[in-house]
Amino acid sequence: MIASIFITTYFTICFIGLIYGLLHREDYKLEVDFFIVIMVYVVSESIYFILFNLSVETFFDVNSALILWNVSIFARIISIGIWSAIHTTELNKSSRVRFLPVMIYILLGGIILSLLFNPVSFLVTQTGFEYYYFFSNLPLLISIVIFNGLVVVISWITQIKGYKEINDRKLSNFYFLFVFLLSLKILWYTLYILTLNSFFKVLHQMFYIIFMGFIVFLVVKKPNVLVVFTNKIYDFIIFHKSGILLYSFNFEKQSEVDESLLKGSILIGINHILANLSNVENQITLIKMSDRAIVFNYNNQLGYAVLLIAKHKNKILENAVDNFTKKFAEINKNSLKKLGGLIDVSTFKNANDLIEEYFSHYLIRK
């Protein structure tokens, strides 16, 4: 009975999130590989929670319930391991040891899997309408507890150190709450498997529902939670083929900048590119930035180019620049065609609105 309540609540929350995501799918332009990882995480979480609830109820015989319990443990290891791995690697992109926690999770996960399906790992007893699983395999219990503890500790260290890496402060605060709820969920689960106290089991189930509800709320309230994680945009520049700076925006200062404030190497590289737009693929290499990625787009018909300098290059930024370029051409087509002699660049201040439209997730919200 209790299991059906929690499972129904879980599916209701997931259904709401799924329907909202489908209706607003244009807001969630994820890269394919990242989308696959997220789906594996969601499926693993679902399998875990459903089987965890079913395995402690006496709907099934002991052997079947034990299988469900074992699978739930492994699914749980996969789900929280995937989330913590994404969290750690994304917030430590510049670290040489960013993949160390991932390797630790894989190692411990392998140990847990090898111990999990040992036929003498659990002693199953029935009290009332519930099964209880006593760990007769002490190394398995220790491995799970260590895994849980590492996920919590590494997640908090990563979140605290990586706070400054997220431009959107409100979004960063959401992640802190996310880690807090995740920690509580893991804490109650750990206390339950150590004590087999039903109070901790119910707390774990309740906080799991709260945790999933928060995820759905986060996805609805902040679509960029999946679109933008730690990537940063530094400069956004629009140049005419004559070499005139039409517009420039600095995302760190959150303001427009004039040509005199741009780095000389950037200006030289851009002027080389604009001098020969037909050979842009070769000319783009003239801009050398060891710690930055460059997204470049140009319009041969109207003779202007858009250049974005970011921390990391991905399809999301490329699509945003492409959409910006098309919209900018549509709005300023007549002005661009008439350019010549003394150019009044104030005409192109409308780019501010396009920056807000296509790159709002990268603007700092205070």
Side-chain angles (χ1 to χ4, degrees), residues 319-336:
N319 290 335
V321 171
D322 185 57
N323 291 332
F324 179 98
T325 304
K326 292 176 181 177
K327 191 67 175 180
F328 184 80
E330 178 185 332
I331 295 175
N332 299 288
K333 184 176 181 179
N334 293 331
S335 297
L336 289 166

mmCIF file with all atom_site columns, all heavy atoms in Angstrom, residues 319-336:
data_model
loop_
_atom_site.group_PDB
_atom_site.id
_atom_site.type_symbol
_atom_site.label_atom_id
_atom_site.label_alt_id
_atom_site.label_comp_id
_atom_site.label_asym_id
_atom_site.label_entity_id
_atom_site.label_seq_id
_atom_site.pdbx_PDB_ins_code
_atom_site.Cartn_x
_atom_site.Cartn_y
_atom_site.Cartn_z
_atom_site.occupancy
_atom_site.B_iso_or_equiv
_atom_site.pdbx_formal_charge
_atom_site.auth_seq_id
_atom_site.auth_comp_id
_atom_site.auth_asym_id
_atom_site.auth_atom_id
_atom_site.pdbx_PDB_model_num
ATOM 1   N N   . ASN A 1 319 ? 24.664 27.125 -32.378 1.00 0.00 ? 319 ASN A N   1
ATOM 2   C CA  . ASN A 1 319 ? 23.280 27.378 -32.812 1.00 0.00 ? 319 ASN A CA  1
ATOM 3   C C   . ASN A 1 319 ? 22.823 28.777 -32.403 1.00 0.00 ? 319 ASN A C   1
ATOM 4   O O   . ASN A 1 319 ? 22.119 29.462 -33.159 1.00 0.00 ? 319 ASN A O   1
ATOM 5   C CB  . ASN A 1 319 ? 22.339 26.329 -32.217 1.00 0.00 ? 319 ASN A CB  1
ATOM 6   C CG  . ASN A 1 319 ? 22.542 24.957 -32.816 1.00 0.00 ? 319 ASN A CG  1
ATOM 7   O OD1 . ASN A 1 319 ? 23.024 24.834 -33.946 1.00 0.00 ? 319 ASN A OD1 1
ATOM 8   N ND2 . ASN A 1 319 ? 22.201 23.918 -32.074 1.00 0.00 ? 319 ASN A ND2 1
ATOM 9   N N   . ALA A 1 320 ? 23.213 29.196 -31.184 1.00 0.00 ? 320 ALA A N   1
ATOM 10  C CA  . ALA A 1 320 ? 22.825 30.526 -30.713 1.00 0.00 ? 320 ALA A CA  1
ATOM 11  C C   . ALA A 1 320 ? 23.447 31.622 -31.586 1.00 0.00 ? 320 ALA A C   1
ATOM 12  O O   . ALA A 1 320 ? 22.777 32.593 -31.949 1.00 0.00 ? 320 ALA A O   1
ATOM 13  C CB  . ALA A 1 320 ? 23.255 30.713 -29.260 1.00 0.00 ? 320 ALA A CB  1
ATOM 14  N N   . VAL A 1 321 ? 24.713 31.452 -31.943 1.00 0.00 ? 321 VAL A N   1
ATOM 15  C CA  . VAL A 1 321 ? 25.384 32.430 -32.809 1.00 0.00 ? 321 VAL A CA  1
ATOM 16  C C   . VAL A 1 321 ? 24.750 32.440 -34.197 1.00 0.00 ? 321 VAL A C   1
ATOM 17  O O   . VAL A 1 321 ? 24.545 33.508 -34.799 1.00 0.00 ? 321 VAL A O   1
ATOM 18  C CB  . VAL A 1 321 ? 26.893 32.121 -32.904 1.00 0.00 ? 321 VAL A CB  1
ATOM 19  C CG1 . VAL A 1 321 ? 27.552 32.994 -33.977 1.00 0.00 ? 321 VAL A CG1 1
ATOM 20  C CG2 . VAL A 1 321 ? 27.570 32.348 -31.557 1.00 0.00 ? 321 VAL A CG2 1
ATOM 21  N N   . ASP A 1 322 ? 24.434 31.260 -34.705 1.00 0.00 ? 322 ASP A N   1
ATOM 22  C CA  . ASP A 1 322 ? 23.808 31.168 -36.024 1.00 0.00 ? 322 ASP A CA  1
ATOM 23  C C   . ASP A 1 322 ? 22.449 31.860 -36.038 1.00 0.00 ? 322 ASP A C   1
ATOM 24  O O   . ASP A 1 322 ? 22.132 32.623 -36.964 1.00 0.00 ? 322 ASP A O   1
ATOM 25  C CB  . ASP A 1 322 ? 23.653 29.689 -36.416 1.00 0.00 ? 322 ASP A CB  1
ATOM 26  C CG  . ASP A 1 322 ? 23.120 29.517 -37.826 1.00 0.00 ? 322 ASP A CG  1
ATOM 27  O OD1 . ASP A 1 322 ? 23.750 30.036 -38.766 1.00 0.00 ? 322 ASP A OD1 1
ATOM 28  O OD2 . ASP A 1 322 ? 22.066 28.873 -37.980 1.00 0.00 ? 322 ASP A OD2 1
ATOM 29  N N   . ASN A 1 323 ? 21.648 31.635 -35.003 1.00 0.00 ? 323 ASN A N   1
ATOM 30  C CA  . ASN A 1 323 ? 20.331 32.280 -34.910 1.00 0.00 ? 323 ASN A CA  1
ATOM 31  C C   . ASN A 1 323 ? 20.470 33.791 -34.746 1.00 0.00 ? 323 ASN A C   1
ATOM 32  O O   . ASN A 1 323 ? 19.693 34.562 -35.311 1.00 0.00 ? 323 ASN A O   1
ATOM 33  C CB  . ASN A 1 323 ? 19.546 31.690 -33.743 1.00 0.00 ? 323 ASN A CB  1
ATOM 34  C CG  . ASN A 1 323 ? 19.135 30.258 -33.978 1.00 0.00 ? 323 ASN A CG  1
ATOM 35  O OD1 . ASN A 1 323 ? 18.957 29.838 -35.120 1.00 0.00 ? 323 ASN A OD1 1
ATOM 36  N ND2 . ASN A 1 323 ? 18.993 29.476 -32.914 1.00 0.00 ? 323 ASN A ND2 1
ATOM 37  N N   . PHE A 1 324 ? 21.461 34.199 -33.948 1.00 0.00 ? 324 PHE A N   1
ATOM 38  C CA  . PHE A 1 324 ? 21.713 35.628 -33.768 1.00 0.00 ? 324 PHE A CA  1
ATOM 39  C C   . PHE A 1 324 ? 22.059 36.283 -35.108 1.00 0.00 ? 324 PHE A C   1
ATOM 40  O O   . PHE A 1 324 ? 21.528 37.343 -35.449 1.00 0.00 ? 324 PHE A O   1
ATOM 41  C CB  . PHE A 1 324 ? 22.854 35.841 -32.778 1.00 0.00 ? 324 PHE A CB  1
ATOM 42  C CG  . PHE A 1 324 ? 23.207 37.294 -32.556 1.00 0.00 ? 324 PHE A CG  1
ATOM 43  C CD1 . PHE A 1 324 ? 22.713 37.985 -31.462 1.00 0.00 ? 324 PHE A CD1 1
ATOM 44  C CD2 . PHE A 1 324 ? 24.040 37.974 -33.449 1.00 0.00 ? 324 PHE A CD2 1
ATOM 45  C CE1 . PHE A 1 324 ? 23.034 39.325 -31.264 1.00 0.00 ? 324 PHE A CE1 1
ATOM 46  C CE2 . PHE A 1 324 ? 24.360 39.305 -33.263 1.00 0.00 ? 324 PHE A CE2 1
ATOM 47  C CZ  . PHE A 1 324 ? 23.856 39.981 -32.168 1.00 0.00 ? 324 PHE A CZ  1
ATOM 48  N N   . THR A 1 325 ? 22.951 35.633 -35.849 1.00 0.00 ? 325 THR A N   1
ATOM 49  C CA  . THR A 1 325 ? 23.405 36.188 -37.127 1.00 0.00 ? 325 THR A CA  1
ATOM 50  C C   . THR A 1 325 ? 22.244 36.368 -38.098 1.00 0.00 ? 325 THR A C   1
ATOM 51  O O   . THR A 1 325 ? 22.136 37.403 -38.782 1.00 0.00 ? 325 THR A O   1
ATOM 52  C CB  . THR A 1 325 ? 24.475 35.276 -37.751 1.00 0.00 ? 325 THR A CB  1
ATOM 53  O OG1 . THR A 1 325 ? 25.549 35.091 -36.814 1.00 0.00 ? 325 THR A OG1 1
ATOM 54  C CG2 . THR A 1 325 ? 25.034 35.877 -39.029 1.00 0.00 ? 325 THR A CG2 1
ATOM 55  N N   . LYS A 1 326 ? 21.375 35.382 -38.162 1.00 0.00 ? 326 LYS A N   1
ATOM 56  C CA  . LYS A 1 326 ? 20.223 35.455 -39.063 1.00 0.00 ? 326 LYS A CA  1
ATOM 57  C C   . LYS A 1 326 ? 19.258 36.573 -38.651 1.00 0.00 ? 326 LYS A C   1
ATOM 58  O O   . LYS A 1 326 ? 18.763 37.324 -39.494 1.00 0.00 ? 326 LYS A O   1
ATOM 59  C CB  . LYS A 1 326 ? 19.497 34.111 -39.086 1.00 0.00 ? 326 LYS A CB  1
ATOM 60  C CG  . LYS A 1 326 ? 20.296 32.996 -39.737 1.00 0.00 ? 326 LYS A CG  1
ATOM 61  C CD  . LYS A 1 326 ? 19.559 31.663 -39.646 1.00 0.00 ? 326 LYS A CD  1
ATOM 62  C CE  . LYS A 1 326 ? 20.383 30.550 -40.286 1.00 0.00 ? 326 LYS A CE  1
ATOM 63  N NZ  . LYS A 1 326 ? 19.713 29.222 -40.148 1.00 0.00 ? 326 LYS A NZ  1
ATOM 64  N N   . LYS A 1 327 ? 19.000 36.674 -37.348 1.00 0.00 ? 327 LYS A N   1
ATOM 65  C CA  . LYS A 1 327 ? 18.068 37.697 -36.858 1.00 0.00 ? 327 LYS A CA  1
ATOM 66  C C   . LYS A 1 327 ? 18.668 39.088 -37.024 1.00 0.00 ? 327 LYS A C   1
ATOM 67  O O   . LYS A 1 327 ? 17.961 40.042 -37.387 1.00 0.00 ? 327 LYS A O   1
ATOM 68  C CB  . LYS A 1 327 ? 17.750 37.438 -35.384 1.00 0.00 ? 327 LYS A CB  1
ATOM 69  C CG  . LYS A 1 327 ? 16.594 38.285 -34.847 1.00 0.00 ? 327 LYS A CG  1
ATOM 70  C CD  . LYS A 1 327 ? 15.268 37.889 -35.488 1.00 0.00 ? 327 LYS A CD  1
ATOM 71  C CE  . LYS A 1 327 ? 14.114 38.632 -34.868 1.00 0.00 ? 327 LYS A CE  1
ATOM 72  N NZ  . LYS A 1 327 ? 12.816 38.265 -35.466 1.00 0.00 ? 327 LYS A NZ  1
ATOM 73  N N   . PHE A 1 328 ? 19.960 39.207 -36.764 1.00 0.00 ? 328 PHE A N   1
ATOM 74  C CA  . PHE A 1 328 ? 20.637 40.503 -36.915 1.00 0.00 ? 328 PHE A CA  1
ATOM 75  C C   . PHE A 1 328 ? 20.575 40.965 -38.369 1.00 0.00 ? 328 PHE A C   1
ATOM 76  O O   . PHE A 1 328 ? 20.349 42.147 -38.647 1.00 0.00 ? 328 PHE A O   1
ATOM 77  C CB  . PHE A 1 328 ? 22.094 40.372 -36.469 1.00 0.00 ? 328 PHE A CB  1
ATOM 78  C CG  . PHE A 1 328 ? 22.869 41.661 -36.479 1.00 0.00 ? 328 PHE A CG  1
ATOM 79  C CD1 . PHE A 1 328 ? 22.753 42.567 -35.449 1.00 0.00 ? 328 PHE A CD1 1
ATOM 80  C CD2 . PHE A 1 328 ? 23.725 41.959 -37.542 1.00 0.00 ? 328 PHE A CD2 1
ATOM 81  C CE1 . PHE A 1 328 ? 23.464 43.764 -35.453 1.00 0.00 ? 328 PHE A CE1 1
ATOM 82  C CE2 . PHE A 1 328 ? 24.436 43.146 -37.566 1.00 0.00 ? 328 PHE A CE2 1
ATOM 83  C CZ  . PHE A 1 328 ? 24.310 44.047 -36.516 1.00 0.00 ? 328 PHE A CZ  1
ATOM 84  N N   . ALA A 1 329 ? 20.741 40.028 -39.314 1.00 0.00 ? 329 ALA A N   1
ATOM 85  C CA  . ALA A 1 329 ? 20.664 40.364 -40.739 1.00 0.00 ? 329 ALA A CA  1
ATOM 86  C C   . ALA A 1 329 ? 19.255 40.797 -41.123 1.00 0.00 ? 329 ALA A C   1
ATOM 87  O O   . ALA A 1 329 ? 19.069 41.744 -41.899 1.00 0.00 ? 329 ALA A O   1
ATOM 88  C CB  . ALA A 1 329 ? 21.093 39.159 -41.570 1.00 0.00 ? 329 ALA A CB  1
ATOM 89  N N   . GLU A 1 330 ? 18.279 40.106 -40.544 1.00 0.00 ? 330 GLU A N   1
ATOM 90  C CA  . GLU A 1 330 ? 16.881 40.432 -40.848 1.00 0.00 ? 330 GLU A CA  1
ATOM 91  C C   . GLU A 1 330 ? 16.521 41.841 -40.368 1.00 0.00 ? 330 GLU A C   1
ATOM 92  O O   . GLU A 1 330 ? 15.864 42.602 -41.082 1.00 0.00 ? 330 GLU A O   1
ATOM 93  C CB  . GLU A 1 330 ? 15.978 39.391 -40.186 1.00 0.00 ? 330 GLU A CB  1
ATOM 94  C CG  . GLU A 1 330 ? 14.494 39.630 -40.387 1.00 0.00 ? 330 GLU A CG  1
ATOM 95  C CD  . GLU A 1 330 ? 13.636 38.635 -39.620 1.00 0.00 ? 330 GLU A CD  1
ATOM 96  O OE1 . GLU A 1 330 ? 14.101 37.504 -39.386 1.00 0.00 ? 330 GLU A OE1 1
ATOM 97  O OE2 . GLU A 1 330 ? 12.515 38.998 -39.239 1.00 0.00 ? 330 GLU A OE2 1
ATOM 98  N N   . ILE A 1 331 ? 16.966 42.199 -39.184 1.00 0.00 ? 331 ILE A N   1
ATOM 99  C CA  . ILE A 1 331 ? 16.624 43.498 -38.599 1.00 0.00 ? 331 ILE A CA  1
ATOM 100 C C   . ILE A 1 331 ? 17.412 44.638 -39.244 1.00 0.00 ? 331 ILE A C   1
ATOM 101 O O   . ILE A 1 331 ? 16.883 45.727 -39.478 1.00 0.00 ? 331 ILE A O   1
ATOM 102 C CB  . ILE A 1 331 ? 16.885 43.476 -37.082 1.00 0.00 ? 331 ILE A CB  1
ATOM 103 C CG1 . ILE A 1 331 ? 15.935 42.487 -36.395 1.00 0.00 ? 331 ILE A CG1 1
ATOM 104 C CG2 . ILE A 1 331 ? 16.702 44.869 -36.481 1.00 0.00 ? 331 ILE A CG2 1
ATOM 105 C CD1 . ILE A 1 331 ? 16.202 42.307 -34.920 1.00 0.00 ? 331 ILE A CD1 1
ATOM 106 N N   . ASN A 1 332 ? 18.677 44.387 -39.567 1.00 0.00 ? 332 ASN A N   1
ATOM 107 C CA  . ASN A 1 332 ? 19.565 45.462 -40.028 1.00 0.00 ? 332 ASN A CA  1
ATOM 108 C C   . ASN A 1 332 ? 19.925 45.358 -41.514 1.00 0.00 ? 332 ASN A C   1
ATOM 109 O O   . ASN A 1 332 ? 20.933 45.928 -41.940 1.00 0.00 ? 332 ASN A O   1
ATOM 110 C CB  . ASN A 1 332 ? 20.852 45.454 -39.190 1.00 0.00 ? 332 ASN A CB  1
ATOM 111 C CG  . ASN A 1 332 ? 20.586 45.695 -37.715 1.00 0.00 ? 332 ASN A CG  1
ATOM 112 O OD1 . ASN A 1 332 ? 20.258 46.799 -37.313 1.00 0.00 ? 332 ASN A OD1 1
ATOM 113 N ND2 . ASN A 1 332 ? 20.734 44.645 -36.923 1.00 0.00 ? 332 ASN A ND2 1
ATOM 114 N N   . LYS A 1 333 ? 19.117 44.645 -42.262 1.00 0.00 ? 333 LYS A N   1
ATOM 115 C CA  . LYS A 1 333 ? 19.428 44.422 -43.681 1.00 0.00 ? 333 LYS A CA  1
ATOM 116 C C   . LYS A 1 333 ? 19.629 45.724 -44.434 1.00 0.00 ? 333 LYS A C   1
ATOM 117 O O   . LYS A 1 333 ? 20.630 45.912 -45.138 1.00 0.00 ? 333 LYS A O   1
ATOM 118 C CB  . LYS A 1 333 ? 18.303 43.601 -44.315 1.00 0.00 ? 333 LYS A CB  1
ATOM 119 C CG  . LYS A 1 333 ? 18.558 43.220 -45.761 1.00 0.00 ? 333 LYS A CG  1
ATOM 120 C CD  . LYS A 1 333 ? 17.435 42.331 -46.281 1.00 0.00 ? 333 LYS A CD  1
ATOM 121 C CE  . LYS A 1 333 ? 17.709 41.919 -47.725 1.00 0.00 ? 333 LYS A CE  1
ATOM 122 N NZ  . LYS A 1 333 ? 16.626 41.033 -48.247 1.00 0.00 ? 333 LYS A NZ  1
ATOM 123 N N   . ASN A 1 334 ? 18.718 46.648 -44.312 1.00 0.00 ? 334 ASN A N   1
ATOM 124 C CA  . ASN A 1 334 ? 18.810 47.910 -45.046 1.00 0.00 ? 334 ASN A CA  1
ATOM 125 C C   . ASN A 1 334 ? 20.005 48.738 -44.599 1.00 0.00 ? 334 ASN A C   1
ATOM 126 O O   . ASN A 1 334 ? 20.721 49.326 -45.427 1.00 0.00 ? 334 ASN A O   1
ATOM 127 C CB  . ASN A 1 334 ? 17.518 48.716 -44.876 1.00 0.00 ? 334 ASN A CB  1
ATOM 128 C CG  . ASN A 1 334 ? 16.328 48.036 -45.539 1.00 0.00 ? 334 ASN A CG  1
ATOM 129 O OD1 . ASN A 1 334 ? 16.486 47.314 -46.521 1.00 0.00 ? 334 ASN A OD1 1
ATOM 130 N ND2 . ASN A 1 334 ? 15.144 48.262 -44.994 1.00 0.00 ? 334 ASN A ND2 1
ATOM 131 N N   . SER A 1 335 ? 20.240 48.795 -43.299 1.00 0.00 ? 335 SER A N   1
ATOM 132 C CA  . SER A 1 335 ? 21.360 49.578 -42.783 1.00 0.00 ? 335 SER A CA  1
ATOM 133 C C   . SER A 1 335 ? 22.695 49.014 -43.245 1.00 0.00 ? 335 SER A C   1
ATOM 134 O O   . SER A 1 335 ? 23.626 49.766 -43.588 1.00 0.00 ? 335 SER A O   1
ATOM 135 C CB  . SER A 1 335 ? 21.314 49.601 -41.251 1.00 0.00 ? 335 SER A CB  1
ATOM 136 O OG  . SER A 1 335 ? 20.143 50.231 -40.789 1.00 0.00 ? 335 SER A OG  1
ATOM 137 N N   . LEU A 1 336 ? 22.819 47.698 -43.270 1.00 0.00 ? 336 LEU A N   1
ATOM 138 C CA  . LEU A 1 336 ? 24.063 47.060 -43.695 1.00 0.00 ? 336 LEU A CA  1
ATOM 139 C C   . LEU A 1 336 ? 24.331 47.275 -45.180 1.00 0.00 ? 336 LEU A C   1
ATOM 140 O O   . LEU A 1 336 ? 25.487 47.436 -45.596 1.00 0.00 ? 336 LEU A O   1
ATOM 141 C CB  . LEU A 1 336 ? 24.020 45.565 -43.370 1.00 0.00 ? 336 LEU A CB  1
ATOM 142 C CG  . LEU A 1 336 ? 24.110 45.204 -41.878 1.00 0.00 ? 336 LEU A CG  1
ATOM 143 C CD1 . LEU A 1 336 ? 23.717 43.746 -41.650 1.00 0.00 ? 336 LEU A CD1 1
ATOM 144 C CD2 . LEU A 1 336 ? 25.512 45.456 -41.342 1.00 0.00 ? 336 LEU A CD2 1
#
